[in-house]
């Protein structure tokens, strides 16, 4: 197989660390970015603080080789006190890094944005996401949070809706440049930040995990990310893929009352 | 790699034939089903007419080995005069075959339903799909078509909405049995039935293909289907994956007027 070169942000832990491990095992080169230093399963480490515009530009400039893909995996969980930083890191900084990296991409490169099941309300969040996307400067975020009455959980969900909508918005310009862009929406994954999600989403999340049978594992998301970076998935463009063990389907079936479409259990051959 | 055994319907042509070729090349066993006989890239052929309830039961009974997955790929395109058959083959027959095959599935088996970009209006089609799903007998279809005022194109779109919604509806029961079910939604694929879609969808489809740059190829869908059958995608459950070269995203970005989320072209580094 051809050796390709991928950039992965948030590579020091969780899904990013698993993705680096899988890509390296497949024989690819991995350039890893994180605020926290690591040398695990990567060919090169570049420090990156998505909360800092200068750090973003410096990180992009430090990449000295063409890339076959970029996985925007770094992000902050919902946590009180981090409201501004969540908006900046999860969406505005991620978007800025992507634009800074575009000139380094090889033809047919694949860009992946890590969204979340927490962004599944994106159809209802369009107008708020547009207002967030229009902000020009980092110092407008504090006032935006006051004006929009956002707590940390809403900030998190909003950034994940924004990632899904921005992926849709940018799909055609990215395709016209010869690349592709998609998002992934994991749900209920057992990483170091699972506790933050349990505090933010409480009983709803516990119920989802119970129905799925267990939380997902980071490698179960990273395997999909590796496939979506690879040329094998080349016709998947501008879409979001849910990876949640069925949590989204279970909830949609309830909401739309779809149970009548099922075969009655007694008729289902055993 | 472990040799697995997969059942593929509609295996004689198009996406099904490509999927059989890919799975065989990966070292797996393929049991192929079709109304038209074939021996290409399969280990065993079983005749199947999804328009015939007896044929469905006989085909399921003819499977003499446990299965690691089922790809419900067979389907009819929108074509005048085939209205009843489209409803029967694309949804009701496909659903019946799946239930008949369930007892043969090994733990962790993956079921894939071939939906379509033509089913993307499933959120608005819920009530009509429920009425279709409640029909008990094949001979009720003619009256259903009259009552619902369906032409061949609407019949086709309705069955694809039904496949997506039925996948959501059945996700939890299937997970509880130790399997998983998902759907794929290809758009504008160059197979032998592309002409039917061009007649049915006209200028809208031509515009979508032009924006994507070209129609998709059957192997570009089959590669994703092979991944979704494989254990590597094990945490993807109850979801629909669009494989359309960006067509869905381009249309959603227009409809929701998302272009303001993009970086202005002049600011995008070249």
């Amino acid at each position: 197989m051809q050796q390709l070169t991928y950039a992965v942000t948030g590579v020091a832990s969780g899904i990013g660390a698993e993705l680096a491990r899988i890509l390296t095992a497949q024989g690819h080169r991995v350039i890893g970015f994180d605020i926290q230093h690591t040398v695990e399963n990567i060919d090169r480490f570049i420090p990156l603080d998505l909360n800092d515009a200068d750090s973003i530009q410096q990180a992009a400039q430090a990449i000295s080789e063409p890339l076959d893909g970029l996985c925007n995996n770094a992000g902050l969980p919902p946590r009180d006190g981090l409201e501004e930083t969540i908006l900046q890191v999860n969406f505005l900084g991620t978007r800025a890094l992507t634009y800074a990296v575009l000139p380094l991409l090889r033809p047919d490169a694949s860009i992946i944005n890590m969204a979340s099941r927490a962004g599944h309300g994106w159809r209802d969040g369009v107008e708020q996401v547009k207002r967030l996307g229009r902000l020009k400067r980092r110092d407008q975020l504090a006032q935006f949070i006051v004006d929009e009455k956002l707590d940390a959980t809403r900030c998190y969900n909003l950034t994940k809706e924004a990632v899904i909508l921005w992926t849709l918005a940018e799909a055609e310009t990215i395709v016209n440049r010869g690349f592709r862009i998609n998002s992934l929406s994991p749900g209920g994954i057992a990483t170091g930040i699972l506790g933050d999600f349990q505090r933010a989403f409480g009983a709803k999340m516990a119920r989802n995990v119970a129905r799925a049978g267990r939380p997902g594992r980071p490698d179960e998301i990273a395997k999909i990310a590796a496939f979506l970076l690879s040329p094998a998935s080349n016709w998947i463009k501008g879409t979001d893929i849910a990876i949640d063990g069925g949590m989204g389907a279970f909830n949609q079936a309830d909401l739309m009352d779809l149970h009548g479409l099922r075969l009655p259990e007694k008729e289902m051959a055993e």
Side-chain angles (χ1 to χ4, degrees), chain A:
Chain A
M1 199 181 65
Q2 197 191 350
Q3 185 185 55
L4 301 173
T5 303
Y6 295 115
V8 178
T9 71
V11 78
S13 60
I15 295 168
E18 282 298 312
L19 179 57
R21 186 184 59 75
I22 291 168
L23 292 172
T24 301
Q26 291 175 345
H28 300 302
R29 280 180 61 77
V30 176
I31 303 181
F33 299 80
D34 208 298
I35 195 166
Q36 177 191 335
H37 189 268
T38 183
V39 294
E40 292 280 335
N41 294 311
I42 59 177
D43 294 89
R44 187 174 166 215
F45 176 79
I46 297 177
L48 169 67
D49 178 1
L50 287 167
N51 195 29
D52 177 339
D54 291 337
S55 171
I56 291 170
Q57 297 307 318
Q58 284 161 14
Q61 283 160 19
I63 305 171
S64 51
E65 58 192 306
L67 299 174
D68 298 290
L70 163 67
C71 181
N72 285 313
N73 164 74
L76 290 170
R79 194 179 292 172
D80 291 342
L82 290 187
E83 290 79 0
E84 278 183 52
T85 318
I86 290 169
L87 295 178
Q88 173 63 30
V89 167
N90 291 12
F91 177 54
L92 299 169
T94 293
R95 188 174 65 166
L97 177 72
T98 305
Y99 292 141
V101 167
L102 276 184
L104 297 164
L105 297 184
R106 280 206 186 101
D108 301 323
S110 174
I111 302 167
I112 300 179
N113 299 316
M114 202 57 75
S116 165
R117 172 159 167 71
H120 78 281
W122 55 271
R123 285 177 188 79
D124 300 320
V126 172
E127 294 311 317
Q128 198 171 41
V129 166
K130 286 181 184 176
R131 292 194 292 275
L132 173 63
R134 277 197 289 270
L135 300 182
K136 294 291 179 199
R137 300 188 320 273
R138 177 74 171 79
D139 63 10
Q140 295 173 303
L141 285 177
Q143 190 61 47
F144 177 80
I145 288 166
V146 172
D147 292 346
E148 305 274 341
K149 303 182 176 60
L150 309 179
D151 62 11
T153 300
R154 179 60 201 151
C155 282
Y156 180 81
N157 294 355
L158 176 61
T159 61
K160 296 306 185 177
E161 295 167 8
V163 161
I164 293 170
L165 286 163
W166 169 61
T167 300
L168 289 175
E170 207 67 80
E172 190 159 21
T173 45
I174 296 287
V175 164
N176 288 341
R177 292 170 72 109
F179 317 131
R180 61 194 172 103
I181 187 165
N182 293 285
S183 57
L184 292 179
S185 284
I189 307 302
T191 68
I193 54 178
L194 184 65
D196 290 292
F197 295 109
Q198 287 168 334
R199 276 186 292 278
F201 302 117
K204 197 166 62 174
M205 180 163 165
R207 181 166 150 75
N208 281 335
V209 169
R211 289 174 80 173
R214 60 172 174 86
R217 298 190 314 261
D219 70 285
E220 291 175 316
I221 308 303
K223 288 186 297 184
I224 315 300
F227 177 73
L228 203 50
L229 285 173
S230 80
S233 61
N234 70 301
W235 202 239
I236 299 183
K237 301 183 186 185
T239 201
D240 181 68
I241 300 179
I243 318 174
D244 61 13
M247 296 176 197
F250 306 163
N251 280 285
Q252 283 187 295
D254 291 348
L255 281 171
M256 293 188 286
D257 191 19
L258 299 180
H259 306 293
L261 288 177
R262 293 179 184 168
L263 189 73
E265 279 294 326
K266 62 179 177 343
E267 294 178 31
M268 221 185 252
E270 285 296 338

